[in-house]
Amino acid sequence: MNDLTRIRNFSIIAHIDHGKSTLADRMLEITHTVEKRDLVHAQLLDAMDLEQERGITIKSHPVRMLFTASDGNEYELNLIDTPGHVDFSYEVSRSLAACEGAILVLDATQGVQAQTVANVNLAMRHNLFIIPIINKIDLAAADLPLCYNQLEEILAIPREEVLLVSAKDGTGVPELLEAIVQRVPPPKAPAETGTAALIFDSIYDAYRGVVTYVRMFNGSLARGNRLKMFSTGLESEIKEVGVFTPEMKPMPALEAGDVGYIIPNLKSPADAKMGDTITDAAAPCAEPLPGFQDVKPMVFSGIYPIDTADYEQLKFSMAKLQLNDPAFHYQSETSAALGFGFRCGFLGLLHMEIVQERLRREYNMDIIATYPSVIYHVYLRNGDMLKIDNPVHLPDPSEIDHIEEPLINAHIMSPTEYIGDIMNLVMNKRGICTNTESIDANHVMITACIPMHEILIDFHDRLKSITRGYGSLDYEPAGWQTEKLVKLDILVNGEPVDAFASIVHSDHAYARGREIAERLAEVIPPQMFQIAIQAAVGGKVIARETVRQLRKNVLAKCYGGDITRKRKLLEKQKEGKKRMKQIGRVNIPQEAFIAVLKNNEQ
C-alpha cells in the first residue's frame, strides 16, 4: 500500500514560452531522475521536432521524480507537463484534474499574459493549491515589481508566496522542490470500494497498441486484471502497468495516488478517450470521475494531395497521425477542382497548423489545405436544422430560414497604448468589446465577443503586429448567434470552383469576392480565349475580373488593300474565339490554388 503522505502530484501551468519545459529539465537534473550528461536536448519532455522548434508543448508528458526533502524523508513527485496553448485547453483541464497542486510560472520580462489568467482560473476551478514563481530573473530586462503587482491585482496572489527562479541556470529550483513538498497537499485517502483511474492522455505505440496515461484515485490495477472503460463499457485485459522515469518503467501494480501508464489490449485510440474513467471489471466504482466530455473539433479544412497519385499514401499517413492525436478527425471528400481529398476537423488554428506541418515533415506529403471554416447551424424553412462545416453543402438560399454562427469570448491582454488599434481590429472583425479592465498603469485586458470564423485567418497575426508582439490572446466558446451569412461562389469561365467557395457575412461578400477574383486573374495564365472570373452570391454576380486572351496577329500579312479585307479576317478570328470559349475548358493550375489559399492565410 502506498504511503500517500509521501506523494505529491502537481502540474506546471503558464503562458506559451514562459519556461515550463526548461523548469521541468532542471527538476529532472536536481532530483537525479535524468543525469545532466543524459539530457540529449533542452526541453527533454518535448520530444517532437515541432515542439522544440516552436518552443511549445503539444502533448502532455508525465514523469516521476524522487526527492529527499530537508526533513530527511524521500518524497515521490509526479509532474505532469501540460500544453500552454488555448487549442489544447481540454487536455490541460484533464491534466489538472489529475493533480493536487500547480506551479504557476510567470516570465519576469513579460508578466501576466492572457493564457496565464485562463490557466489560473482553470486550476482554481479544480481546487488546486497554486505555487507562484517568477522565472527568468537572471535576464537584464526582468521587471520584478511589475510581476508582483500583477500577481496581486489580477490573480489575488500575495507576493509573500512568490518564489524567484531561473530555470535556465537552476537558481531557486531546490527551494521550489521543498515548497512543493511543504505546500502541495498529498492525495486524499481512497474510498473504501471500487477502483477508479483518470485517463489524462494516451499515445499509440506501433508494437504495443494504445498506451493510456492515468492517475489512480481509488483501488489498484495490475497486469492481468480486466479493466473497463466507463464511457463505452469496453472491457480489456491489462498487458502492462508502470511509471515514467521519464522512460516507461514496468511496475507490479499502480495504486491510489500513483501517476503512470496502463497498456490494455486495445488497438484503436478512439477506445481510450481522454478524461474517461478506467475501473476494474471485477470491482467497479459506482460512478465515473467528473469532467469527462467528448472532444469536438472546432475548425474544419479540406486537405488534398498536390499530386493525385498520393491520395492513398495521404490516407495512410492521416490514419497513423490520428493514432497519436485522437482529437484530429478526417473523412473522405471529393472536389471537382482538387480531386480526391479529406475533410479534416481540428481543435483550433494552432492544432490545424501542427497537423499540416506534421503531414509535410513526418510523412513527406505535399498537401494543399482549403480555406478553413467552422460549423454553422443552418435552419431550413421546413423546421429542420443542418450542421454545415463545408460551404459546398449549403442548401439553396430559397430553402434557408436563417443561419447561426459560433461565437467566442476573446480575452486580449496588451499594453495600454494599443487599446484603440485593438478595438478597431475587433470592430473590423464584426466583434463587440464587452469589457475593458485596467490591470495596472501600463496594461489593459479587453474582453470581446467575436464570431469564430473571423479569427481563423489573420486575427492573431494582426494582433501581434499592432501591439508590437506584446499582445496576447485567449478565447473560449460563447454560444451561437443569427447573422446574415451567404455562400460566396467563385466562377471561372461560368463554372463554379468549389475549392474557393466560402461562407461570409453579406456585408463583407463584395470585398472578399473582389479580392479573390483579382488574385485569380493574376495567377491564371492567359488562354486562347478570354476568361471571366466572377464572384457570385446566390446566382448574382458581385465582382468580375477578366484574364486576357492570347491573340494571333491575323493582319500581319495585310500590307494595304481594302479595309473590308482586314475586317473580314478579324470577324473570322472573333467567331473562332467565340466557338472556342463555348467548348474550351480552363484548367486552373495547382499554383493558382496554392497562391490564393496561401494568401488567405497571411
Side-chain angles (χ1 to χ4, degrees):
M1 187 74 181
N2 278 346
D3 181 359
L4 295 180
T5 59
R6 301 277 178 88
I7 296 176
R8 301 290 183 271
N9 296 322
F10 66 97
S11 185
I12 304 178
I13 55 174
H15 189 74
I16 297 170
D17 210 22
H18 277 203
K20 296 192 297 293
S21 299
T22 309
L23 178 64
D25 280 0
R26 294 295 82 74
M27 287 181 167
L28 292 173
E29 261 180 46
I30 289 168
T31 57
H32 301 290
T33 308
V34 177
E35 295 301 332
K36 194 165 187 175
R37 63 178 178 273
D38 297 327
L39 275 173
V40 283
H41 55 75
Q43 283 99 37
L44 184 75
L45 298 182
D46 291 347
M48 266 185 243
D49 293 347
L50 273 171
E51 289 183 315
Q52 288 158 37
E53 266 174 42
R54 291 174 177 235
I56 57 175
T57 301
I58 297 167
K59 292 289 282 178
S60 297
H61 300 272
V63 63
R64 170 187 281 196
M65 300 174 283
L66 297 175
F67 174 67
T68 305
S70 53
D71 61 6
N73 292 322
E74 189 176 63
Y75 290 85
E76 177 189 308
L77 307 182
N78 291 313
L79 158 66
I80 300 168
D81 191 17
T82 60
H85 198 273
V86 58
D87 283 6
F88 307 110
S89 57
Y90 177 63
E91 201 163 312
V92 176
S93 82
R94 294 301 81 214
S95 299
L96 294 182
C99 304
E100 279 80 34
I103 298 172
L104 170 64
V105 181
L106 216 62
D107 187 325
T109 62
Q110 294 182 22
V112 173
Q113 298 286 302
Q115 278 167 243
T116 316
V117 179
N119 285 337
V120 168
N121 290 339
L122 205 56
M124 286 176 172
R125 281 205 291 275
H126 285 91
N127 296 321
L128 301 191
F129 188 91
I130 295 171
I131 301 176
I133 69 165
I134 298 174
N135 188 23
K136 307 187 184 181
I137 56 167
D138 54 323
L139 296 182
D143 189 346
L144 294 181
L146 168 83
C147 294
Y148 282 132
N149 290 339
Q150 288 188 339
L151 279 168
E152 287 190 334
E153 290 177 24
I154 306 170
L155 305 175
I157 293 174
R159 64 178 68 201
E160 294 75 36
E161 292 182 11
V162 179
L163 299 174
L164 301 180
V165 169
S166 168
K168 193 172 182 184
D169 60 23
T171 307
V173 179
E175 290 80 1
L176 172 60
L177 290 167
E178 281 287 347
I180 292 167
V181 169
Q182 302 298 328
R183 300 190 201 175
V184 174
K188 289 178 185 167
E192 293 300 313
T193 58
T195 299
L198 172 76
I199 302 177
F200 62 84
D201 203 357
S202 64
I203 60 162
Y204 185 81
D205 186 290
Y207 301 103
R208 299 195 279 186
V210 178
V211 180
T212 58
Y213 295 4
V214 298
R215 153 75 201 273
M216 293 294 298
F217 281 91
N218 287 331
S220 66
L221 287 169
R223 181 179 174 176
N225 290 6
R226 278 193 76 74
L227 61 76
K228 180 182 175 185
M229 301 285 178
F230 230 97
S231 70
T232 57
L234 200 72
E235 292 192 12
S236 170
E237 187 181 339
I238 297 176
K239 294 192 288 186
E240 188 182 306
V241 299
V243 296
F244 298 93
T245 62
E247 288 79 31
M248 289 184 181
K249 180 182 174 187
M251 300 287 281
L254 287 180
E255 297 181 351
D258 282 340
V259 173
Y261 67 89
I262 294 175
I263 304 180
N265 202 0
L266 298 178
K267 292 296 173 230
S268 168
D271 296 331
K273 295 182 176 177
M274 194 186 299
D276 198 1
T277 302
I278 289 181
T279 186
D280 191 334
C285 52
E287 53 188 49
L289 298 165
F292 171 70
Q293 64 187 64
D294 269 328
V295 184
K296 292 187 174 64
M298 302 277 285
V299 177
F300 292 83
S301 172
I303 292 183
Y304 293 83
I306 285 182
D307 182 353
T308 48
D310 290 340
Y311 173 76
E312 285 300 326
Q313 182 61 36
L314 178 61
K315 187 176 182 180
F316 178 66
S317 302
M318 282 189 171
K320 284 180 75 175
L321 187 61
Q322 192 185 37
L323 293 176
N324 283 318
D325 189 355
F328 166 57
H329 294 262
Y330 70 94
Q331 61 188 61
S332 299
E333 73 168 4
T334 53
S335 156
L338 296 170
F340 290 99
F342 299 92
R343 191 79 186 159
C344 304
F346 310 94
L347 295 175
L349 274 185
L350 178 82
H351 188 217
M352 182 172 89
E353 223 177 292
I354 295 294
V355 167
Q356 290 174 9
E357 195 64 30
R358 286 183 69 187
L359 283 170
R360 289 189 181 106
R361 285 199 195 179
E362 294 174 25
Y363 302 102
N364 296 319
M365 298 305 307
D366 285 329
I367 55 171
I368 175 172
T370 62
Y371 195 82
S373 77
V374 294
I375 292 183
Y376 295 93
H377 288 174
V378 180
Y379 290 85
L380 304 180
R381 293 188 190 280
N382 64 7
D384 292 348
M385 192 270 276
L386 303 175
K387 291 185 178 182
I388 302 289
D389 61 49
N390 189 342
V392 175
H393 300 145
L394 201 66
D396 189 85
S398 62
E399 297 174 21
I400 297 172
D401 183 59
H402 65 277
I403 302 177
E404 287 183 346
E405 64 178 344
L407 300 174
I408 56 145
N409 274 334
H411 306 287
I412 302 165
M413 201 161 227
S414 155
T416 313
E417 65 255 37
Y418 305 119
I419 186 168
D421 293 335
I422 292 172
M423 286 186 162
N424 278 338
L425 174 63
V426 168
M427 283 190 282
N428 288 342
K429 296 291 187 182
R430 300 192 286 122
I432 300 168
C433 290
T434 53
N435 190 27
T436 309
E437 191 181 338
S438 290
I439 285 162
D440 54 31
N442 302 319
H443 291 81
V444 68
M445 167 84 97
I446 298 169
T447 305
C449 188
I450 309 173
M452 187 169 183
H453 182 260
E454 295 289 339
I455 68 157
L456 287 187
I457 303 301
D458 59 353
F459 185 84
H460 196 255
D461 294 346
R462 286 175 64 184
L463 176 68
K464 286 290 183 190
S465 299
I466 61 180
T467 59
R468 310 290 187 272
Y470 290 110
S472 61
L473 168 74
D474 184 78
Y475 62 84
E476 64 208 6
W480 302 78
Q481 155 180 301
T482 302
E483 278 291 352
K484 292 188 293 180
L485 300 169
V486 292
K487 179 184 173 188
L488 177 68
D489 278 315
I490 302 297
L491 290 79
V492 177
N493 200 29
E495 296 278 325
V497 182
D498 54 3
F500 297 136
S502 56
I503 297 174
V504 294
H505 194 274
S506 57
D507 296 349
H508 295 190
Y510 173 77
R512 178 99 192 95
R514 173 150 298 288
E515 183 192 346
I516 294 181
E518 285 174 356
R519 214 174 282 152
L520 275 174
E522 289 169 15
V523 293
I524 291 180
Q527 312 276 328
M528 292 302 291
F529 51 92
Q530 197 179 69
I531 303 169
I533 297 169
Q534 298 162 310
V537 171
K540 181 186 173 188
V541 174
I542 56 170
R544 174 188 166 125
E545 290 291 324
T546 306
V547 179
R548 66 180 179 82
Q549 59 190 355
L550 293 169
R551 293 186 75 106
K552 179 184 175 186
N553 187 1
V554 292
L555 304 181
K557 59 188 177 186
C558 297
Y559 291 105
D562 191 4
I563 187 68
T564 55
R565 188 173 168 221
K566 293 182 179 179
R567 278 199 190 129
K568 195 174 172 184
L569 285 168
L570 288 170
E571 284 297 323
K572 191 178 174 186
Q573 184 188 37
K574 194 174 175 184
E575 283 300 316
K577 296 275 182 198
K578 198 172 174 183
R579 196 166 64 250
M580 198 184 285
K581 184 170 186 176
Q582 286 171 350
I583 61 167
R585 289 182 61 81
V586 182
N587 283 329
I588 304 173
Q590 199 72 48
E591 297 76 52
F593 288 105
I594 295 167
V596 172
L597 293 167
K598 271 197 174 156
N599 282 348
N600 281 339
E601 290 165 19
Q602 285 170 6

